[in-house]
Amino acid sequence: MASNIILERVFDFLKDFPPFSLLESSHLRAISANVSVRYLEQGEYVFRQGDDPHPEFFIVKQGSVELRQSPTPAPGQESGINMAASAVSGTAEDGKGALIDVCDEGDVFGVRAMISQLPYISNALAAEEVLLYGIPTEVFKPLLTDNSRVALFFAAGFAAGQPVVRSNLFDTSRGQQTLGEQARPHFSIFRLAEIFSTQAGRSLVSCRPDETIQAVAARMSHEGVGSIIIIDKNKRPLGIVTDTDFRKKVVTGIVPITRPVQDIMNSPVVTVSPSLSVAEVLIRMMREHVHHLCVTVDGTPDTQATGIISEHDLLLRQGSNPAVILREIEKSSGVEALPALRNRAEELLSYYLQQEVNIAFVAGVISEINDAIIRKALQHAEGVLEKANIPSPGLRYCWLSLGSEGREEQLLRTDQDNALVYEDPPAGKEEIASAYFLQLASETNNVLIDCGFAECPSDMMARNQRWCQPLRQWKDYFGDWIRTPDEKSLMLATIFFDFRPVYGDYRLADSLTDFIYHQIRRDKLFLNYLAANAMQNPPPLGFFRNLLVERSGEHKDSFDIKLRAMMPLVDAARVLILSHEVNGINNTFRRYEKLAELEPKNADLFREAAIAYEIMMRLRARTGLNHSNSGRYIPIHELSKIARQTLRHGFRPIADVQEVLRVRFQLDMLRR
């Protein structure tokens, strides 16, 4: 039994580290009163692989402990640690086994044996002089069933040396979200079906297409609704009429009230499934530029209509709505209001991150807002040139977003990467076309700078003449990069192959995409070189499984999450999705989700990679908001134990995805 002085010291130490930080004070004091204290010299074993479990597990008070594992577990032991991934940072040494983890201050280990009552699956030995606290299993174990947050801590694999296999990375992410903040359910996770279930007694208001406008208006007034679904004899949706249609088409006298309602209905109506979440519905509204959606049995117009959901309905329930920001951008007469509206988007981002909203939804919302700002900036630029009497060359053009914005992953206002492609001008008009589109691009880039999107240090911007070119020149660029995949070509490929049309004539972008796949089919070795380039950044763990941090300079002791963790996953996803010739999916975690569909045998790995990337996006965005920067460099001392463990678990798919690249694209042969 610890003395009162020791008890207080133990209590003060434990309360700062999970899972003890998750306990009520009375429970923690009871545990603190029963801890044992152990001191070990360097090289001494805490336990050995195959030993029966001790009556206690451990937390490091001072020093560090290595967990090492022999390649073949002893008979009767559980396995499950991903040795392929673990061996990346260590090899068998002096019979102690391969290094699988290093525990330092506040790390908990030896819990697997506590939970399973099976022999230890690794050696635990002091890497230096070590002071440990032993936590009696019998005292602590009841909390596993009584405290859900403590149970989640262990289920998510946050204790050192706990094996985290692929299916558990989701639990890790969920655990980090739940334990990291005082999170509460966000409105956007609710399903439409749940929303409708709260509208008891409110049935769908509908009418037939041959009913008169007057009769339909009377019914809407009687029901107190602002919209009505027009259905066929099988109750399938044909169209929708809203108050706006009455004002624009009937009140103005364009259509008499005696005409059938089908004369003013909007058709086809956009339909959704009741299984969609509110987040997905909001995204759909923004992408379709509609304010009402019809809910049908299976989400298609071929089944019975069951309800109607409006943006107003969602506003009433949510209190705030990104669609409002989007609408204000679209309705703004100039560009003066855009910086403030983009600031509001950043506030929304901060709110979403605090509420642990699904990162796919967050990325979708912010990308829609960014795209709306770009569209408005281009419309403004067109007007500026027209007022300046600069004649338009009369050629089609398309604005291309590149890099993270091209991938719909630019949550923060990082630097711009964009380009412009325009229709091939007729002979003799080349200079006029070039001058017009360069000025258009320059005006647009300047508006984006005013909105907080910094200039690209490498000038990968549409105002740069090199990246403001007619279609034939862009085909020459991509053709050269594919035919001659040298270091510079591959660097450019990693930026430009993620292009996404945002404004203008998308057929130009489609033509470029068709050309690229045609060229890749002709020059098949290009993908092999692109795959080799994607292997440049290995998993970011050092030999002692510590995060690789910058050793000097402005970002000393910070972790470069973009270069060391995110780009390996981005680069690998790009190569693999190109090899399947999949168009229209630029987002990295959606690429991995698509790859999971296309390659069932690797589905678990790709889903894990998608989750890992989402974890990293969230962490980078939070860091960026906290420091008012890009979030690229994360000060290690700011990461909690749980955040650090989550990040390390997120690195596991990198090595395995790169192994897929190595084998599939025969990279060992390429190096010879």
Side-chain angles (χ1 to χ4, degrees):
M1 179 71 68
S3 69
N4 286 339
I5 295 177
I6 295 177
L7 186 153
E8 288 303 319
R9 286 178 181 173
V10 172
F11 177 87
D12 286 341
F13 176 77
L14 293 180
K15 68 180 175 58
D16 292 331
F17 296 98
F20 308 101
S21 58
L22 307 172
L23 298 176
E24 293 180 6
S25 178
S26 59
H27 289 151
L28 185 54
R29 288 195 178 281
I31 289 171
S32 301
N34 287 279
V35 300
S36 62
V37 181
R38 288 185 62 180
Y39 168 80
L40 292 92
E41 298 277 359
Q42 181 180 13
E44 280 192 76
Y45 282 78
V46 184
F47 51 74
R48 293 176 184 270
Q49 187 170 341
D51 283 354
D52 288 334
H54 292 195
E56 57 191 0
F57 66 95
F58 305 95
I59 180 170
V60 179
K61 170 66 170 64
Q62 186 176 325
S64 61
V65 172
E66 294 178 0
L67 301 181
R68 292 180 172 275
Q69 189 179 54
S70 298
T72 305
Q77 295 175 11
E78 289 185 357
S79 187
I81 288 185
N82 185 341
M83 289 299 293
S86 302
V88 169
S89 59
T91 57
E93 179 183 296
D94 299 332
K96 298 173 184 175
L99 183 69
I100 59 171
D101 216 335
V102 176
C103 314
D104 56 19
E105 184 185 25
D107 278 333
V108 172
F109 67 98
V111 298
R112 184 176 172 81
M114 172 189 75
I115 297 170
S116 65
Q117 287 303 302
L118 292 171
Y120 291 109
I121 62 171
S122 64
N123 297 311
L125 64 158
E128 54 189 315
E129 289 185 344
V130 172
L131 194 62
L132 302 176
Y133 287 156
I135 313 298
T137 300
E138 289 303 313
V139 176
F140 189 86
K141 204 167 184 178
L143 297 172
L144 284 175
T145 52
D146 296 341
N147 188 319
S148 60
R149 288 164 62 81
V150 171
L152 182 58
F153 173 88
F154 290 109
F158 288 128
Q162 271 191 279
V164 176
V165 293
R166 304 195 192 298
S167 58
N168 280 345
L169 191 52
F170 174 79
D171 290 335
T172 301
S173 176
R174 184 170 62 91
Q176 192 272 335
Q177 293 173 21
T178 303
L179 301 177
E181 302 282 349
Q182 290 298 318
R184 62 177 185 270
H186 188 267
F187 171 77
S188 62
I189 69 173
F190 293 132
R191 306 256 158 210
L192 277 187
E194 297 172 65
I195 298 295
F196 285 131
S197 70
T198 66
Q199 299 176 346
R202 180 176 166 182
S203 57
L204 174 68
V205 180
S206 61
C207 66
R208 301 293 296 276
D210 54 354
E211 294 185 49
T212 66
I213 293 172
Q214 185 175 27
V216 171
R219 184 177 308 168
M220 290 174 63
S221 178
H222 175 73
E223 297 285 352
V225 297
S227 58
I228 190 167
I229 293 289
I230 292 85
I231 58 174
D232 65 12
K233 63 180 181 181
N234 295 316
K235 298 184 178 180
R236 294 175 299 198
L238 297 173
I240 184 172
V241 171
T242 68
D243 285 340
T244 303
D245 298 311
F246 283 98
R247 289 197 301 273
K248 289 185 176 179
K249 302 172 185 175
V250 182
V251 177
T252 55
I254 296 174
V255 182
I257 59 173
T258 53
R259 295 293 303 167
V261 73
Q262 64 184 354
D263 286 4
I264 63 169
M265 75 178 183
N266 299 292
S267 181
V269 64
V270 181
T271 56
V272 293
S273 164
S275 64
L276 289 185
S277 69
V278 170
E280 292 167 315
V281 171
L282 281 170
I283 292 285
R284 188 76 183 275
M285 282 183 175
M286 287 189 285
R287 288 190 172 159
E288 299 284 349
H289 299 286
V290 298
H291 306 300
H292 297 78
L293 295 173
C294 178
V295 184
T296 63
V297 172
D298 67 356
T300 74
D302 300 324
T303 54
Q304 185 176 327
T306 59
I308 185 169
I309 190 79
S310 72
E311 197 175 272
H312 182 68
D313 292 333
L314 300 180
L315 270 172
L316 289 178
R317 288 164 174 78
Q318 191 177 18
S320 62
N321 190 327
V324 174
I325 298 176
L326 197 61
R327 195 183 303 168
E328 289 187 33
I329 293 171
E330 292 171 345
K331 287 184 175 179
S332 60
S333 58
V335 295
E336 292 77 12
L338 297 185
L341 289 168
R342 187 53 181 82
N343 288 340
R344 282 173 56 186
E346 195 126 306
E347 293 170 3
L348 193 66
L349 170 65
S350 178
Y351 172 76
Y352 282 153
L353 293 176
Q354 288 173 10
Q355 299 299 317
E356 301 291 352
V357 176
N358 179 280
I359 204 71
F361 169 70
V362 177
V365 166
I366 299 300
S367 294
E368 289 293 334
I369 292 173
N370 289 345
D371 288 356
I373 288 174
I374 293 170
R375 289 194 294 270
K376 182 60 69 175
L378 280 158
Q379 291 163 0
H380 166 78
E382 289 172 344
V384 169
L385 267 60
E386 185 177 352
K387 285 181 180 177
N389 294 318
I390 298 175
S392 165
L395 299 172
R396 296 178 293 130
Y397 78 94
C398 184
W399 184 271
L400 304 176
S401 285
L402 312 172
S404 60
E405 172 62 12
R407 295 192 301 273
E408 301 180 79
E409 297 168 1
Q410 192 178 28
L411 300 183
L412 301 167
R413 284 174 282 189
T414 51
D415 57 284
Q416 298 183 44
D417 289 313
N418 43 55
L420 190 148
V421 55
Y422 55 92
E423 190 178 6
D424 293 333
K429 301 291 184 182
E430 293 89 347
E431 290 188 9
I432 294 175
S434 177
Y436 176 84
F437 287 116
L438 272 175
Q439 190 154 352
L440 180 83
S442 182
E443 293 284 346
T444 304
N445 286 141
N446 287 339
V447 172
L448 296 179
I449 290 170
D450 290 341
C451 290
F453 297 96
E455 298 177 71
C456 174
S458 303
D459 208 17
M460 299 283 187
M461 299 166 68
R463 72 181 184 189
N464 181 341
Q465 187 168 14
R466 190 179 180 195
W467 311 126
C468 180
Q469 291 289 341
L471 181 60
R472 61 172 170 256
Q473 181 60 59
W474 278 107
K475 289 181 178 178
D476 285 346
Y477 284 161
F478 278 96
D480 287 345
W481 296 337
I482 293 169
R483 281 190 301 273
T484 313
D486 55 22
E487 184 177 352
K488 186 174 182 180
S489 296
L490 292 170
M491 183 273 290
L492 293 171
T494 60
I495 299 172
F496 284 89
F497 273 61
D498 290 335
F499 72 80
R500 180 171 61 88
V502 175
Y503 182 78
D505 194 323
Y506 286 17
R507 288 174 295 180
L508 292 166
D510 293 340
S511 176
L512 200 51
T513 300
D514 292 342
F515 173 80
I516 289 169
Y517 280 120
H518 174 73
Q519 289 298 111
I520 289 176
R521 283 192 288 271
R522 286 182 51 183
D523 298 281
K524 295 183 183 300
L525 268 181
F526 170 73
L527 287 183
N528 299 65
Y529 283 101
L530 196 61
N533 187 65
M535 303 282 283
Q536 296 300 312
N537 293 304
L541 290 176
F543 180 80
F544 290 105
R545 296 190 59 75
N546 294 322
L547 301 178
L548 292 175
V549 298
E550 304 306 301
R551 294 184 175 179
S552 60
E554 180 185 359
H555 304 291
K556 187 174 184 296
D557 295 328
S558 293
F559 175 65
D560 185 348
I561 192 170
K562 175 185 176 184
L563 178 67
R564 296 190 182 278
M566 299 178 76
M567 291 315 297
L569 289 173
V570 171
D571 292 340
R574 181 187 303 111
V575 176
L576 292 167
I577 213 74
L578 280 172
S579 72
H580 285 286
E581 298 195 11
V582 174
N583 294 333
I585 302 179
N586 280 26
N587 182 278
T588 299
F589 47 79
R590 297 212 185 283
R591 281 175 169 173
Y592 279 116
E593 289 170 356
K594 184 64 180 177
L595 289 167
E597 292 176 24
L598 296 171
E599 300 182 28
K601 70 175 182 180
N602 290 320
D604 288 345
L605 170 60
F606 292 143
R607 290 194 187 100
E608 186 183 38
I611 295 171
Y613 196 74
E614 290 184 30
I615 290 171
M616 294 169 192
M617 276 188 70
R618 186 183 299 277
L619 184 56
R620 181 180 175 182
R622 277 183 167 162
T623 303
L625 289 174
N626 290 340
H627 292 273
S628 299
N629 59 25
S630 70
R632 173 173 176 170
Y633 296 95
I634 300 176
I636 290 300
H637 69 273
E638 292 184 1
L639 292 178
S640 68
K641 280 289 179 187
I642 287 178
R644 202 176 299 189
Q645 285 287 64
T646 301
L647 196 54
R648 288 167 59 178
H649 291 171
F651 297 156
R652 293 185 185 276
I654 296 175
D656 292 347
V657 169
Q658 290 188 337
E659 179 65 10
V660 170
L661 293 183
R662 189 186 67 78
V663 173
R664 182 167 306 175
F665 295 98
Q666 301 178 311
L667 299 186
D668 291 339
M669 294 183 63
L670 202 64
R671 294 192 183 100
R672 292 174 184 171

